[in-house]
Amino acid sequence: MKTAEIKITVQLDDNNVPENLLWESTDSEIKEQVAVKSMMLALWDHNYKNSLRIDLWTKDMPVDEMKRFFYETLQTMGDSFLKATGEKLIVEDLRDYCAHFADKMGINTQG
């Protein structure tokens, strides 16, 4: 069995607010830590039948980039849900909502 490790480093200021987020993976071609401005990690706890989440962003994460990050996360959640369940109709509804979200947030989805 192959094993890969993902490591996330969170550098905090004196008030425990993230200043830097860094991630690396043993399975990546890039061998050094990569800086990011925001992350969302969701895990499913089978025993308790609930999700566990870690949502972090650095204090200098621009609001326009956060809006784009949420839009893209919603889109990729649709991709994952379709792949996992085959539920095409509800994913089409999610795509419609994503278009509405992008419109309301002023997100340019054309590039």
Side-chain angles (χ1 to χ4, degrees):
M1 176 188 302
K2 181 179 177 180
T3 300
E5 183 176 310
I6 298 170
K7 179 180 174 185
I8 299 168
T9 303
V10 181
Q11 297 173 338
L12 304 170
D13 68 10
D14 293 336
N15 296 314
N16 290 327
V17 176
E19 283 193 346
N20 295 299
L21 299 172
L22 306 156
W23 80 278
E24 60 188 297
S25 171
T26 57
D27 222 18
S28 175
E29 292 180 11
I30 301 169
K31 295 304 174 193
E32 56 272 345
Q33 291 182 325
V34 177
V36 296
K37 294 287 181 190
S38 184
M39 64 163 275
M40 294 181 189
L41 175 65
L43 305 164
W44 179 250
D45 184 325
H46 175 72
N47 293 321
Y48 290 99
K49 305 289 189 249
N50 66 356
S51 59
L52 307 168
R53 299 186 45 86
I54 299 172
D55 301 324
L56 295 173
W57 56 93
T58 61
K59 57 186 173 185
D60 65 342
M61 173 76 172
V63 172
D64 62 324
E65 290 183 22
M66 182 61 87
K67 291 176 183 180
R68 181 71 186 212
F69 179 54
F70 267 78
Y71 168 76
E72 290 187 13
T73 299
L74 290 169
Q75 288 280 29
T76 58
M77 286 175 67
D79 296 340
S80 296
F81 191 74
L82 180 61
K83 186 176 179 181
T85 67
E87 296 283 347
K88 186 175 181 181
L89 294 177
I90 197 67
V91 171
E92 288 174 2
D93 288 348
L94 179 58
R95 298 272 184 255
D96 290 342
Y97 174 74
C98 288
H100 172 75
F101 181 89
D103 183 53
K104 289 289 189 179
M105 293 290 106
I107 299 168
N108 178 3
T109 60
Q110 304 303 315

